[in-house]
Amino acid sequence: MGLGRPLAGRAAPRLPPRPLTPFPHDRPPREPGAIDDDVPVRTGPHPLIDRLGRWAEQYPDDRAYTYMDYATDIDGVGVDITWGELDRRSRAVAASLRAVTDAGQRVAILAPQTLDYIIGFLGAMYARVIAVPLFSPDLPGHADRLLAVYGDSEPECVLTTTEALPHVETFFDANTVPRPKQILTIDTVDTSLTWEYEPVGPDDLAYLQYTSGSTRTPAGVMVTHGNIAVNAEQCWGTFDGIPRVSSGVNWLPLFHDMGLVTAVALPLAYASPAVLMDPVAFIMRPMRWLELLSKQSHAFTCAPNFAYEYLAAKVTPEEKATLDLSGVQVFMNGAETIREGTISRFLDAFRECGLRPEVQVPAYGLAEATVYVSSSSRYLTPTMTSFDRDALNRGVAEPCAADAERASLLVGCGTPYGQHLAIVDPATRVRVPDGRVGEIWVHGPNVTAGYWKRPEDTAETFACSLAGTLGDLPERPWLRTGDLGVWYDGELYVTGRIKDLIIVDGRNHYPQDIEHTAYSAHEGVRREYVAAFSVADEETERLIVVAERNRRIPIRRLDPEAVADTVRAAVKHHHDVALHEFVLIEPGGLPRTSSGKISRAACRAAHLNGTLPLTPLDQTAASA
């Protein structure tokens, strides 16, 4: 399907890195932002739902997806579905949907993360309705998001399961959102129903992927059938997968962009089996993820940075003795800031389990580009470069020694696959030279159709034009990501978000740098659970740091004034900026997005509103 040369002779699941060059990461470094001319990526004519029918015909008895159910058995019970059964059940759902709604209408998926979720999503694709991937209303901590997204998408129908139906009914009884025309339970749909395939075009909307809301109210990204098919192939080309052999293992939420593409779309692209489990099962016992990976001979998986940090801290030596991670080809790390320390700790923790350093693959992406944009190679050790922090704040990437006092160590996110990427001055819209910080812009067939019911935001974000000398780049349309980055030595480094940039006394500061300094300064601060932002007063911007206390330190031993003084001194020393206010709050108190990222915007609002859960000690907030 256009992402490399034929895969003949590659049936063995554990081949060593090859000197062949069918994929871009095996080639010499390309010009920054270049697209692979000999690796074409198409928007059609093969949407993913076409492939489901194809696999059902060619490999009807092959296992497609396995759901590991840990609800009744601590060791998990695997529930399989073949390509043939998946196709039959998805077509039955399509027939049921089109009996109660028309093509092009929205259908919300309010269901737990099981095989039924996948059946419902693919059934919506077959029916040519627009899926809205959400979650069962009983999912803790997401009630406000569900209300906002459901109200914005205005679905005509709801897909759920028998188990979740009471929660769905309660949701509609307790809230003022309109009830749908029909609520269908996926697991009770009459499987004798058939659906005659209706051609799907690459520009037809497949689903609305609502953003995580880290900097604003969630917006519905309009993902077309062409977008998701292309992005699945882009991921596949990056992973260098083997059709019908490479296995995906995933616990990410299916209502999240990275979870949906890597857990559902990616296996569907080349008839590769996949294993998934509920995110709660991972959080309750992270070892389960590694156990499932250990059973695979040629596996790929992905997760945000925090998951790797969590594994390194939680898995015991006794548990590690049972693992064999030599078959894992890709541990992709994306969706949030990637820490060099996390990559090192994860490798140190699991090296003896067969983990190879090169299979840790840092990546960059966003929902507006379906999900995947760029990543490092699975054949090369991740690149980490120290840059002078003051120079970065001025917009220049100047390498320095790793032990330099003002060093900021960044992890490279490789190169784009099947799309253009440019670093652009957001004010002039001119591409900046390599080594200069600018906004990351993306152009490619995976860039989505815009925001649902937001024409002005769509025009501002998705229809941008480059100015100045274009070289080999197209003039338009470009996606403005809102993320800051720099090309250095042929690789992308992400430095932060424009809206999160802290400007105090005319100087720029990246919040993640200040956050790292804060949680590294004192053991009383919970690692990675810090938010730094600024608040304007009449004269200037004030720097605020909100941090969760470390629950491992007994509360009676915690001196909040000492914590605040230490953090304040560290921020002043490392960043030469005065910390106006340090606030210590209870574990779990930082507002987070649906994908688990800390929402600095929501944290700022909660701080100003006085709704943060302060640690119940005297003087937990210290002001300068």
Side-chain angles (χ1 to χ4, degrees):
M1 282 296 299
L3 280 181
R5 299 191 177 94
L7 297 167
R10 295 183 53 216
R14 293 193 191 180
L15 295 179
R18 297 161 292 122
L20 305 177
T21 59
F23 294 96
H25 294 307
D26 299 311
R27 302 192 178 105
R30 294 163 289 167
E31 289 298 316
I35 195 167
D36 288 287
D37 294 332
D38 58 341
V39 188
V41 176
R42 306 190 289 254
T43 58
H46 299 290
L48 288 180
I49 198 61
D50 286 21
R51 301 183 205 190
L52 174 57
R54 176 181 171 186
W55 308 145
E57 289 182 3
Q58 295 182 349
Y59 319 117
D61 298 323
D62 277 13
R63 178 175 64 87
Y65 299 90
T66 297
Y67 171 67
M68 292 300 298
D69 186 355
Y70 294 96
T72 57
D73 189 325
I74 192 172
D75 295 321
V77 176
V79 182
D80 298 336
I81 191 168
T82 64
W83 291 114
E85 182 183 0
L86 180 62
D87 187 63
R88 286 191 298 274
R89 292 192 58 189
S90 298
R91 287 178 186 264
V93 169
S96 299
L97 283 172
R98 287 293 293 276
V100 296
T101 192
D102 298 323
Q105 294 297 325
R106 276 82 59 214
V107 175
I109 305 177
L110 306 184
Q113 186 153 313
T114 64
L115 295 178
D116 288 323
Y117 198 106
I118 298 175
I119 293 166
F121 180 74
L122 296 177
M125 278 190 162
Y126 259 138
R128 295 176 50 235
V129 298
I130 303 170
V132 185
L134 294 171
F135 42 85
S136 179
D138 61 317
L139 185 67
H142 293 281
D144 290 343
R145 171 181 166 81
L146 182 58
L147 275 172
V149 171
Y150 189 91
D152 185 73
S153 61
E154 299 178 310
E156 276 205 350
C157 296
V158 163
L159 288 174
T160 187
T161 61
T162 303
E163 176 188 358
L165 182 59
H167 304 296
V168 172
E169 294 287 1
T170 299
F171 171 74
F172 289 115
D173 291 341
N175 295 289
T176 56
V177 292
R179 290 186 67 89
K181 289 172 54 177
Q182 189 75 33
I183 300 176
L184 300 175
T185 49
I186 302 163
D187 51 322
T188 63
V189 165
D190 184 357
T191 55
S192 68
L193 295 174
T194 60
W195 178 251
E196 192 68 28
Y197 177 71
E198 294 182 358
V200 175
D203 295 328
D204 292 344
L205 289 188
Y207 61 99
L208 301 181
Q209 178 66 67
Y210 275 82
T211 60
S212 60
S214 58
T215 59
R216 60 180 174 184
T217 303
V221 176
M222 298 187 291
V223 184
T224 68
H225 284 271
N227 293 148
I228 189 171
V230 163
N231 211 227
E233 290 203 12
Q234 290 167 330
C235 289
W236 183 270
T238 295
F239 289 173
D240 196 358
I242 303 174
R244 301 179 66 200
V245 173
S246 300
S247 300
V249 178
N250 215 312
W251 56 266
L252 292 174
L254 297 183
F255 60 84
H256 183 247
D257 52 1
M258 188 158 68
L260 189 63
V261 172
T262 59
V264 179
L266 184 58
L268 187 56
Y270 286 94
S272 291
V275 183
L276 69 152
M277 63 178 175
D278 190 276
V280 175
F282 164 73
I283 296 299
M284 295 298 293
R285 187 170 178 265
M287 174 68 175
R288 289 166 171 159
W289 184 26
L290 300 183
E291 287 175 336
L292 294 176
L293 286 165
S294 289
K295 297 176 182 178
Q296 313 301 321
S297 61
H298 198 274
F300 52 79
T301 191
C302 60
N305 190 84
F306 86 86
Y308 300 103
E309 190 77 39
Y310 191 47
L311 285 169
K314 292 292 185 180
V315 178
T316 67
E318 293 76 18
E319 290 174 324
K320 292 175 187 177
T322 67
L323 296 175
D324 177 9
L325 301 179
S326 61
V328 182
Q329 310 303 310
V330 173
F331 274 108
M332 183 172 274
N333 186 334
E336 64 184 15
T337 302
I338 304 168
R339 302 289 186 189
E340 178 277 335
T342 301
I343 291 176
S344 300
R345 280 187 288 274
F346 186 68
L347 179 61
D348 291 343
F350 297 100
R351 190 193 304 269
E352 294 183 359
C353 304
L355 177 69
R356 291 168 284 125
E358 64 271 17
V359 303
Q360 294 194 81
V361 176
Y364 167 74
L366 67 164
E368 286 83 350
T370 308
V371 66
Y372 171 81
V373 172
S374 70
S375 69
S376 65
S377 167
R378 75 172 179 90
Y379 299 117
L380 300 175
T381 303
T383 304
M384 302 166 194
T385 306
S386 294
F387 297 103
D388 180 85
R389 181 181 294 118
D390 293 333
L392 274 181
N393 292 341
R394 296 194 305 270
V396 181
E398 292 182 1
C400 65
D403 58 355
E405 182 178 349
R406 309 289 287 177
S408 180
L409 186 58
L410 299 183
V411 177
C413 290
T415 54
Y417 192 106
Q419 55 197 295
H420 291 296
L421 194 154
I423 306 299
V424 178
D425 183 324
T428 65
R429 304 195 175 199
V430 173
R431 184 180 180 184
V432 301
D434 298 356
R436 298 287 302 188
V437 176
E439 185 178 13
I440 301 171
W441 285 26
V442 179
H443 172 97
N446 56 303
V447 173
T448 59
Y451 296 123
W452 179 252
K453 297 192 305 184
R454 299 191 183 192
E456 293 182 0
D457 290 342
T458 295
E460 181 181 345
T461 304
F462 290 86
C464 303
S465 299
L466 278 177
T469 303
L470 299 178
D472 60 346
L473 296 179
E475 180 183 359
R476 65 184 308 276
W478 287 84
L479 165 68
R480 297 185 62 166
T481 68
D483 293 316
L484 293 169
V486 60
W487 276 109
Y488 180 80
D489 199 21
E491 192 162 0
L492 171 67
Y493 291 83
V494 181
T495 60
R497 282 197 62 80
I498 292 175
K499 291 183 179 180
D500 287 336
L501 195 65
I502 297 170
I503 305 174
V504 178
D505 296 332
R507 295 172 54 223
N508 296 340
H509 302 273
Y510 290 105
Q512 61 268 29
D513 289 341
I514 295 173
E515 290 159 0
H516 183 271
T517 296
Y519 68 68
S520 301
H522 197 286
E523 65 175 358
V525 177
R526 188 181 181 189
R527 188 175 186 86
E528 303 278 358
Y529 288 80
V530 178
F533 50 88
S534 61
V535 175
D537 62 15
E538 295 180 357
E539 298 179 358
T540 186
E541 292 282 320
R542 301 175 297 158
L543 174 61
I544 313 293
V545 169
V546 177
E548 294 185 11
R549 69 172 176 86
N550 185 354
R551 57 163 53 97
R552 295 183 178 181
I553 306 299
I555 196 167
R556 63 182 179 276
R557 286 179 43 206
L558 194 63
D559 183 347
E561 290 187 1
V563 175
D565 290 345
T566 302
V567 171
R568 192 185 310 283
V571 171
K572 179 64 176 177
H573 175 73
H574 290 289
H575 304 278
D576 192 26
V577 62
L579 178 56
H580 179 83
E581 190 170 1
F582 175 78
V583 183
L584 196 64
I585 65 175
E586 285 298 273
L590 278 176
R592 304 180 76 81
T593 70
S594 63
S595 59
K597 292 182 285 189
I598 290 172
S599 174
R600 298 185 183 99
C603 189
R604 179 191 293 109
H607 170 67
L608 294 175
N609 295 334
T611 57
L612 289 171
L614 301 180
T615 293
L617 295 171
D618 292 337
Q619 297 181 348
T620 55
S623 299

